[in-house]
Amino acid sequence: DAGVTQSPTHLIKTRGQQVTLRCSPISGHKSVSWYQQVLGQGLQFIFQYYEKEERGRGNFPDRFSARQFPNYSSELNVNALLLGDSALYLCASSLDSGVGNTIYFGEGSWLTVV
Amino acid sequence: AQKITQTQPGMFVQEKEAVTLDCTYDTSDPSYGLFWYKQPSSGEMIFLIYQGSYDQQNATEGRYSLNFQKARKSANLVISASQLGDSAMYFCAMIHDFGNEKLTFGTGTRLTIIP
């Protein structure tokens, strides 16, 4: 069975541009979360969606937005890119939401803003 | 506030030896879960093991086991018979039943296995 898949794997954007990152959860998984990992640092929670509804939002500016589609796939959008947005963006999925559910991550999307 | 502390920035271990990676956590909530993930240089986060706060027994997954000491609020990862492929960053993370699935991560431990 396919794991969590993310696209694109690597991308380079210019300051001020917009980017869309995509995530397909493991088949049957209803919860999708997004995390940002700046080089050499830990992961920071951005969003969680469950059954197409936003369940949680981390401490990120409104330039960051996300949505979940009826097939449970998800997109993360970042507008007006800044150099500091350069990071690894990881998507995670789980069957359900909350304690007791194993959370699996994808391979990530490496975003470089120049 | 929920917090995960990993006090070992880096560790060097001889191949085939066992290794313990430390993780302590801080929470006042009785319901929580603890994860360990492995992150190779490629960036993917690989799930290793999970322990629920109400689980009576320590979790085990192959060569991985979790030494869960609830009173001490520690959840150390034990890797038996280490292999060269175990060289990676290891993250401890915690989840709560707060209506969302936010994972709080530690700063990680870089493990290097020496042949």
Side-chain angles (χ1 to χ4, degrees), chain A residues 37-73:
Chain A
Q37 186 180 26
V38 173
L39 190 63
Q41 298 183 18
L43 279 73
Q44 299 298 318
F45 172 77
I46 311 176
F47 285 109
Q48 185 220 348
Y49 278 79
Y50 178 72
E51 287 279 18
K52 302 178 285 295
E53 290 187 359
E54 183 182 302
R55 279 287 187 93
R57 172 186 284 254
N59 188 23
F60 280 80
D62 291 344
R63 299 186 295 108
F64 288 77
S65 63
R67 54 180 175 169
Q68 186 177 34
F69 299 98
N71 66 353
Y72 301 112
S73 67

Side-chain angles (χ1 to χ4, degrees), chain B residues 56-94:
Chain B
Q56 295 298 313
Q57 294 187 336
N58 287 346
T60 60
E61 293 276 357
R63 293 187 300 114
Y64 305 106
S65 61
L66 201 151
N67 183 4
F68 182 47
Q69 298 190 35
K70 199 169 181 178
R72 294 186 176 184
K73 293 188 176 179
S74 74
N76 297 339
L77 176 70
V78 179
I79 306 174
S80 63
S82 58
Q83 303 171 356
L84 296 179
D86 293 334
S87 294
M89 281 290 288
Y90 288 80
F91 289 96
C92 180
M94 180 167 58

Side-chain angles (χ1 to χ4, degrees), chain A residues 31 35 37 43 45 48 55-56 88 90 94 96-107 110, chain B residues 31-33 35 37 39 41-45 47 50 91 95-97 99-103 105-106:
Chain A
S31 174
Y35 290 81
Q37 186 180 26
L43 279 73
F45 172 77
Q48 185 220 348
R55 279 287 187 93
L88 175 65
L90 288 159
S94 63
D96 214 320
S97 182
V99 173
N101 290 283
T102 302
I103 301 171
Y104 298 94
F105 283 81
E107 297 187 355
W110 292 90
Chain B
S31 178
Y32 54 89
F35 291 84
Y37 290 93
Q39 187 177 41
S41 56
S42 59
E44 62 180 314
M45 293 287 283
F47 166 76
Y50 170 82
F91 289 96
I95 190 172
H96 290 80
D97 261 333
N100 65 48
E101 205 165 68
K102 173 186 175 182
L103 281 170
F105 281 83

